[in-house]
Amino acid sequence: MRATRAPLAEMVDTGRARRARGGPDPDEIRAFRAQRRRLLRGGIIGGLGAAGLGSALLTLMESPAFAGEDADVEILQTAASIENLAVAAYDTALTLDFIGGASAIPVVTAFATTTRDQHAEHAAAFNAAVTKLGGREQDQPDPVLNEMVEQAVPGLTGPGPVVDLALELENTAAQTYVANVGALGDLNARKVTASIMGVEAQHVSVLLAVKALLEAGAPQLIALPTQLDALPGAAGDVGFPNAFSKTADARPADEGAVK
Amino acid sequence: MTPPREPMEIGERELLGLTAELEETHRATLPVMREALEEWSAERREADDGPALDVASLVPTRRGFLLGSGVALGALLLAACSDDDDDSSGGNSTDLAVAALAASLENLAVETYQAGIDAAVAGAFGRVPPAVVAFAVTAQAQHRDHAAAWNSALKAAGRKPVRGVDETVKTAIVDPALAQLSDLPGLAQLALDLENVAAATYLNGIGVVKDAGGLKTAAAIQPVEMQHAAILNFVLGQYPVPDAFAGTEGARTTTDKIG
C-alpha cells in the first residue's frame, strides 16, 4: 500500500474529524429513530394530544422530513458518490497496460471490467432510490475519497498498488453500507443498500486473494479455472479474514450528499 | 488389502497455525465490537430502564465476545418484545423466529463442513489441496461464531438456544448431496449452495427484522457468507462475483422445520 497509505491515513482522520464535528452518523440516526418510535408509542405524545397540545408536534414527528427521509437521501447520495468514484477509479486502472492492456493478466482485466460495470449498476440503483424519496441524483464522486484516489494515481506503477487502491475503495464501500443498513428508515433504501454491501465484500475477497497470489510470486494462479492443487494454503481463507463485517472505516453519512 | 488412506495435506502444526490466526483476527476486531456492545447496552437502558449490561466485565476473548454480543442483542430483543406488546405488527416474534432460523442454518453449515472434513480425512477425495483445507477450517469456524452469536441472543431473550439444524434444508439439499458425494467439486458445490441460501436468508431478514441489534448482526454476517460464496466460485472455476446485486432467491423462511 505504498502509494496510498499516507493519503488514506489522512482520509481516515478527515472522516473521524468530520464525524466529531457533528456530521450525521448512522448510529445517531438509528438512535434518533428508536427514540422517536418510543415517543410515538408511549404516553407522552398521546397525553399531549389528548390535551390538545400535541397535534402539531405529532404531525411534525410523523412528517417525512422529521422521520429522516432527508437523512436517507443523504446516505443514499453518499453511497452513489462512492460508486461513482469506484467507476472512475476502475476506468483509470483499465487505461494502464498492466491492468487493461496487452501485458495484463486476463482474469485481472476481466475482473476490473466487470467490477467497474457492477459499480455503475450500483450507482444507478442508489440514485433511483434517491429520486424515489424526492432527492436529487448524485453524479459526482465522494470528494474526500476522490482526493485520496487522485493522490494515489501517480503511484500506480504495477498491479500491486492498483490492487491496494481498489481494496481500500471496496472495503470502504462495504463498511459504509453495512453501517448504514440499520440507519435507513425507508425499507426500499435499506433493501437496495443490503443487496449491494455483500457484493462489495465479494470484490474485497477477490482482491485479497489476488494480492496474496501476487505477493507469493504466483500470478499464473490468478486464472479461471485455477490450478487448485498449486494454490498456497493461505489463498483459501485470505479472502474472508473476519467472521463479522467491520464498520470502522465507514464514511460519514453526508460526505457525498448533493450540496 | 485395503490401500492406505491418503492423508489430507495438513498437519497439526498447520491446524494450530490456522487457529492462532483466527484468534488473532478476533482479538483485532474486539475493540470495535465492544464499542457496539456499549451502544446496545445504552439503548437497552433507554428502552426499559432495566439493568444495564456490564460491558466492562466482558473478558477479551472470542468466547467472551460472542457471549457478550449475544447478551446485548438478546437484551434488545427483550426490549423490543415489551415495545411490541402494543405493536400489532408482531415485529419481535418475527425477529426471534428469524434469529432461530439463522442459528439453525449456521448449525447446518457447521455440520456439513464437518461432514466434508471427515470425508476428506477418511480419504474420500484423495489428496486435498491446502487451500481447500484452509477454506473449510476457517469457514466452519466462522459459521460456528455466527451460530453462537444468534444463540446467545436467543438465550438472553429467554428462548432456548437452537442446537439443531434446519431440517427442511438438510432433507432437501444436504442429505441427497452427501449421499452422492464423490469428489471435491461436489463438496464445494454443496457448500456454495448452503452459503447462497444463508446469504439470501439474511438479506430477506434485513427486510423484515425490526430490532436494531438484529439488523446490525444480520448486516454484519450476510457479507461474510457472500465472501465464502465468492471463494467457492473461484475454487469451482466460476466467476467469483457473478451478480451485481445479492438476491433473496432461495431464502429460507421461519416455517422451516428446525430439528
Side-chain angles (χ1 to χ4, degrees), chain A residues 6-252:
Chain A
L8 281 172
E10 290 169 16
M11 179 192 77
V12 170
D13 287 346
T14 303
R16 284 180 183 144
R18 187 124 190 254
R19 283 192 289 269
R21 284 202 306 271
D25 177 88
D27 289 328
E28 288 173 9
I29 296 167
R30 185 164 34 234
F32 163 75
R33 288 202 165 102
Q35 182 66 16
R36 177 177 170 272
R37 277 198 303 274
R38 282 193 288 275
L39 284 171
L40 287 172
R41 282 177 185 155
I44 298 172
I45 301 298
L48 287 171
L53 299 172
S55 58
L57 179 59
L58 191 59
T59 301
L60 174 64
M61 291 191 77
E62 287 179 332
S63 70
F66 200 93
E69 279 191 7
D70 287 349
D72 283 1
V73 166
E74 289 193 336
I75 288 171
L76 292 165
Q77 287 171 335
T78 294
S81 76
I82 292 172
E83 299 294 344
N84 292 338
L85 178 63
V87 171
Y90 279 103
D91 276 342
T92 299
L94 282 163
T95 66
L96 302 169
D97 189 67
F98 50 85
I99 298 295
S103 65
I105 300 165
V107 165
V108 170
T109 305
F111 175 78
T113 304
T114 305
T115 303
R116 180 249 179 242
D117 291 346
Q118 290 179 337
H119 283 300
E121 289 186 60
H122 298 168
F126 281 127
N127 273 326
V130 166
T131 54
K132 213 168 180 177
L133 290 175
R136 284 167 53 200
E137 288 191 13
Q138 173 57 283
D139 59 4
Q140 296 298 307
D142 178 296
V144 180
L145 293 174
N146 189 45
E147 199 177 320
M148 179 272 288
V149 170
E150 284 177 354
Q151 289 181 47
V153 165
L156 302 180
T157 54
V162 174
V163 169
D164 286 338
L165 177 60
L167 258 175
E168 289 298 332
L169 289 177
E170 299 288 1
N171 251 323
T172 299
Q175 294 194 30
T176 301
Y177 306 157
V178 169
N180 288 343
V181 159
L184 287 161
D186 180 73
L187 187 58
N188 175 60
R190 187 192 300 168
K191 285 180 176 176
V192 168
T193 303
S195 74
I196 293 173
M197 65 185 182
V199 177
E200 314 300 35
Q202 289 188 318
H203 294 160
V204 170
S205 285
V206 174
L207 289 163
L208 285 170
V210 168
K211 180 181 167 73
L213 292 173
L214 287 174
E215 290 178 350
Q220 76 281 3
L221 296 176
I222 304 170
L224 282 174
T226 188
Q227 299 167 255
L228 206 51
D229 284 343
L231 284 175
D237 65 354
V238 72
F240 46 97
N242 302 303
F244 301 91
S245 298
K246 293 157 74 172
T247 57
D249 292 331
R251 302 309 302 162

Side-chain angles (χ1 to χ4, degrees), chain A residues 245-248, chain B residues 28-37 39 65:
Chain A
S245 298
K246 293 157 74 172
T247 57
Chain B
T29 56
L30 187 70
V32 177
M33 301 312 296
R34 176 173 285 163
E35 190 180 323
L37 294 183
E39 292 166 17
F65 153 66

Side-chain angles (χ1 to χ4, degrees), chain A residues 122 195 201-202 237 240-241 243 245, chain B residues 25 138 142 146 220 226-227 241 244 246:
Chain A
H122 298 168
S195 74
Q202 289 188 318
D237 65 354
F240 46 97
S245 298
Chain B
T25 300
T138 305
Q142 292 184 342
H146 299 165
M226 289 194 66
Q227 289 185 316
V241 192

